[in-house]
Amino acid sequence: MKEYKHKEELIEAIKNSYQKYITEFSDIPEEDKDLRSEETEKTPSEHLSYQLGWINQLLAWERDEKNGIKVQTPAKGYKWNNLGGLYQHFYETYGTNSLKQQKQLLDRAVNELCHWVETLSEVELFEPEQREWATTKAKWPLYKWIHINSVAPFTNFRPKIRKWKKTLNK
């Protein structure tokens, strides 16, 4: 997993990977948002819904803990070893929106994520056990949770969207 020296480097990685990712959606027609290619696992709408779901989930964990609410990860009613239902929930929650709306919502969520990272101290971001919701057996610091829910999927899913477009000649 990518290591970061300071929070500005993480914020820059989020913004850069997001910009490359979201640009891939600019030439996808609205009427194709739910088309599934035989060679790719998600539709364009599902890709955006997945990202919206995880970033908003991450932000909700932080908000809830700050408000004294006991956080259940990954989400109430879902377990880490069976995330398919949670993904389906993300698709149902965000997938009814147009691609344009999903992109706007994701823009806002990424901006909120970057703003949150800016407010964190280096200790909060890079030392383990800084949040109850992030304290697991793995003892990941917050930056790893942020990375795996933003930079990593933006980077890994970009080629999948490109493949989707190529297989459907978009």
Side-chain angles (χ1 to χ4, degrees):
M1 183 178 303
K2 170 89 169 109
E3 300 279 331
Y4 299 94
K5 292 180 176 78
H6 46 77
K7 67 179 163 184
E8 291 79 14
E9 186 179 5
L10 174 58
I11 292 168
E12 190 66 26
I14 294 167
K15 289 179 178 180
N16 286 340
S17 62
Y18 176 64
Q19 196 53 51
K20 290 175 183 175
Y21 172 76
I22 202 66
T23 298
E24 294 298 335
F25 293 87
S26 64
D27 59 349
I28 297 175
E30 187 62 44
E31 61 271 12
D32 292 347
K33 80 178 194 109
D34 296 315
L35 282 181
R36 189 172 312 281
S37 162
E38 290 180 19
E39 297 179 37
T40 57
E41 101 186 26
K42 290 180 176 55
T43 69
S45 180
E46 288 171 342
H47 273 280
L48 293 170
S49 295
Y50 178 95
Q51 289 304 134
L52 278 162
W54 276 117
I55 291 175
N56 283 315
Q57 196 65 46
L58 180 65
L59 293 167
W61 294 337
E62 179 69 5
R63 251 188 324 272
D64 287 351
E65 185 164 321
K66 291 277 186 188
N67 290 324
I69 299 169
K70 177 101 171 111
V71 176
Q72 183 180 347
T73 59
K76 188 175 181 179
Y78 299 98
K79 304 274 186 211
W80 286 111
N81 63 355
N82 188 9
L83 293 173
L86 184 57
Y87 300 161
Q88 193 60 44
H89 172 72
F90 294 160
Y91 304 154
E92 291 167 5
T93 300
Y94 302 106
T96 58
N97 293 303
S98 68
L99 284 179
K100 180 180 179 181
Q101 290 168 322
Q102 286 179 298
K103 290 187 292 185
Q104 290 170 339
L105 290 169
L106 192 52
D107 283 345
R108 280 185 238 145
V110 169
N111 286 335
E112 186 178 346
L113 177 68
C114 290
H115 175 73
W116 171 53
V117 173
E118 288 172 358
T119 69
L120 296 170
S121 70
E122 299 291 315
V123 169
E124 287 175 304
L125 194 55
F126 295 108
E127 297 294 325
E129 301 182 350
Q130 297 299 306
R131 296 292 189 276
E132 191 173 320
W133 62 259
T135 302
T136 64
K137 291 178 186 177
K139 298 199 187 272
W140 278 7
L142 292 180
Y143 91 85
K144 285 190 176 186
W145 288 93
I146 295 164
H147 174 86
I148 65 162
N149 286 295
S150 61
V151 178
F154 292 149
T155 302
N156 295 333
F157 289 165
R158 182 176 178 228
K160 293 180 182 201
I161 289 295
R162 296 178 88 163
K163 185 175 184 177
W164 178 91
K165 291 192 293 188
K166 185 176 179 181
T167 61
L168 294 173
N169 296 316
K170 300 294 174 194

